């Protein structure tokens, strides 16, 4: 039976940058979606490629799940990511810039692993934090 331990495993694998362990938490035919980026990653190769991209841009990436909900078939979480950025963001070099952002995820579980992961987070808040937002949009409020 699936328990909240899946979130402990995810948190640890992401924070340890242990891609093999991370991939093992997903079914071979999984779908990983990032709604803010409009990205879809399929199967173990897709999860691996996504994680490699995350760690390239945020080498000191850490993940925490302060809120978790799990049933045998589905789950959800609120998460917080902290890191320092490496490289350009929206065409502007933001190397070394600290970043912290929050999001929500929805999960479908099958055979004790993640079959479908959907991440949702506020892209506008991130570009405002990086200072790369056009001035006319920078005046728009974001949720706190």
């Amino acid at each position: 039976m699936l328990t909240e331990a899946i979130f402990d495993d995810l948190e640890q694998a992401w924070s340890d940058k242990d891609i093999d362990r991370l991939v093992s938490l997903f079914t071979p035919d999984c779908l990983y979606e990032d709604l803010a980026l409009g990205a879809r990653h399929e199967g173990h190769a897709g999860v691996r490629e996504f994680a490699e991209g995350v760690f390239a841009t945020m080498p000191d990436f850490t993940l925490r799940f302060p809120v978790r909900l799990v049933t045998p078939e589905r789950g959800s979480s609120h998460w917080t990511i902290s890191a320092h950025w490496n490289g350009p963001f929206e065409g502007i070099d933001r190397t070394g810039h600290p970043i912290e952002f929050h999001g929500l995820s929805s999960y479908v579980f099958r055979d004790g692993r993640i079959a479908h992961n959907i991440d949702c987070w506020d892209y506008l808040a991130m570009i405002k934090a990086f200072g790369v937002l056009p001035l006319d949009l920078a005046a728009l409020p974001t949720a706190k």
Side-chain angles (χ1 to χ4, degrees):
M1 179 159 161
L2 202 61
T3 68
E4 277 192 44
I6 187 83
F7 293 110
D8 294 334
D9 293 342
L10 270 174
E11 190 176 85
Q12 199 65 51
W14 276 112
S15 294
D16 288 348
K17 291 135 205 84
D18 186 340
I19 295 176
D20 290 334
R21 183 174 177 198
L22 178 66
V23 167
S24 75
L25 299 172
F26 290 81
T27 62
D29 63 342
C30 68
L31 177 59
Y32 195 123
E33 296 182 87
D34 185 317
L35 297 182
L37 298 177
R40 292 171 51 97
H41 306 276
E42 297 182 22
H44 283 171
V47 172
R48 180 175 298 282
E49 179 182 43
F50 177 67
E52 288 170 351
V54 166
F55 299 143
T57 57
M58 295 180 280
D60 62 345
F61 178 99
T62 59
L63 172 70
R64 297 291 171 251
F65 291 111
V67 179
R68 311 152 171 217
L69 175 68
V70 66
T71 71
E73 295 84 28
R74 297 195 60 82
S76 64
S77 67
H78 171 256
W79 46 261
T80 300
I81 290 172
S82 301
H84 286 83
W85 197 261
N86 180 41
F89 183 85
E90 294 296 337
I92 299 173
D93 185 11
R94 302 311 293 152
T95 298
H97 192 319
I99 190 72
E100 180 176 286
F101 61 106
H102 311 273
L104 302 169
S105 293
S106 174
Y107 309 90
V108 174
F109 302 121
R110 188 174 69 241
D111 300 326
R113 295 192 280 171
I114 302 166
H116 192 182
N117 185 135
I118 302 171
D119 291 343
C120 184
W121 51 278
D122 187 350
Y123 189 78
L124 181 60
M126 180 178 258
I127 60 178
K128 283 176 101 173
F130 273 134
V132 297
L133 186 64
L135 292 177
D136 57 337
L137 293 179
L140 296 174
T142 58
K144 296 259 181 202

